[in-house]
Amino acid sequence: MFSRIAAAKSSLPFVTALHHTRSKLCPQMWRTYTSRNILKLEERGLWADFFPDSNVNKLIQELTRKPQTIYSGFDPTADSLHVGNLLVIMALLHCQRAGHNVIALVGGATAQIGDPSGRKSERPQLSVSEVQANSQKIFENLNRVFSNHKEYFWENEDDSPLPPMRTENNIDWYKKLSLVEFLCETGRHIRVGDMLSRTSVASRLQSSEGMSFTEFSYQVLQAHDWLYLYDKYNCTVQIGGSDQMGNMHTGYWLISKLRNVTATGLTIPIITNESGDKFGKSAGNPIWLDSSKTSTFDFYQFFMRLKDSEVEKYLKLLTFLPLSDIESIMEKHKKKPESRHAQTKLAEKITLLVHGKSGLESAKRTTEVLYGGQPEALAEMTKDELEAVFKLASSAKLLLEPGTSILDMALKAGCFFDERHGRRIIEAGGFYVNLSRVTRPDLIIIPEAHILPNGLSLLRVGKKNYYIIKWTK
């Protein structure tokens, strides 16, 4: 596919000449203008496929001639997006950086139907109130990421302002559309034979469970969404995961038939790890973009733990670093892999994009506490940060009474079975208060030394057993 794109680009000499002329007149315009061809993102591995094949020359001309309107959809089936959604978001951000108009469509209606793509069984039905609450959270995720991008990653706002990101919710038009009207205006133009040929449909029809009419209708609704966005915003390009190809084809066909225009579909790859799990969903535990579901520390550490064999790929896909910079980062990383230089760059860039400066600082501060050998950094952590990082730690509320000893505190917190056991572990050097070793069980608690500014104490027995003390007066 990409060889076809490269060939098409080379067959447009007038575009190259126009670029050259504009570069002499206005360097800033030159950079902005030539960047409009988002198909160049193939160099980063962002695109998996492209359709229709015959449209590549026209698409490149349209991309370079004027800004296009491009959309991606996000169904609010959960109350947060996860890192698996980041690739679609990055594609939209790249389009926005190229000067195109982007739309993030939240499927407040389609989430109630359930996309069968890639699923072996029907999704559990969500209530209207659940979908509404989830939709609001997804909007918050998207707005935060796009806002962080503008603040921390776009340096040309004065000379070349970013086109605003538009958000839509498809429930806004479906709640005004009657079933009969929908079937007459859209349904009559969709061929059942084409729908049955879709992979998502064919695989489900062969399963023991089969497919409900509700799920079967999903691709028609997605096609209608695209038609609606074309009519309202002249949206001719849709971006989605590779598993959305069938749904996107239905929309392409509908727009071509009813509006006599050529729409374009671009798909991004479905990324899996070496175990075959989808990116960010290992062992069924998604890494969420909402910090209340996945702490900024856990988010940061997810990328710090990536294997050396994967990190270069994600630097290309999930950062805006030039390819030459990524090459330099990898060269430095290979000289001393144990320093995890490439993973650190990746984790910093993505955490800043998703959680902003304060989120990145929080993640790095916690990392320094746990892995950097800097217990003094613990005093800078907030109560929320400490509780989020040690969410699996046992906790206890204690009243600080005069004369309370280290051993008294540990026993009341449930750190030891009995006094004899506690005294032995403490004297042997296996007990820590705020990451500092304490070997005197009868030492009296001193607030300035043993209680953090946030009113907590972090206890550790051995290497992994943590306890949080919440002091009361």
Side-chain angles (χ1 to χ4, degrees), residues 187-212:
R188 71 170 60 252
H189 302 287
I190 305 295
R191 302 295 91 184
V192 173
D194 293 334
M195 294 177 66
L196 289 171
S197 69
R198 306 304 183 212
T199 302
S200 60
V201 174
S203 61
R204 286 291 298 281
L205 291 178
Q206 295 173 4
S207 68
S208 58
E209 182 176 318
M211 172 180 276
S212 70

Side-chain angles (χ1 to χ4, degrees), residues 54 68 71 75 352 365 416:
S54 60
Q68 301 298 303
Y71 100 95
D75 273 354
L352 181 62
R365 186 161 54 241
F416 304 112

Side-chain angles (χ1 to χ4, degrees), residues 44-46 87 90 94 271 313-319:
R44 306 182 77 95
L46 192 61
L87 199 53
M90 287 297 297
H94 276 295
I271 304 174
K313 173 177 66 178
Y314 291 120
L315 280 168
K316 292 178 179 178
L317 290 174
L318 299 178
T319 76

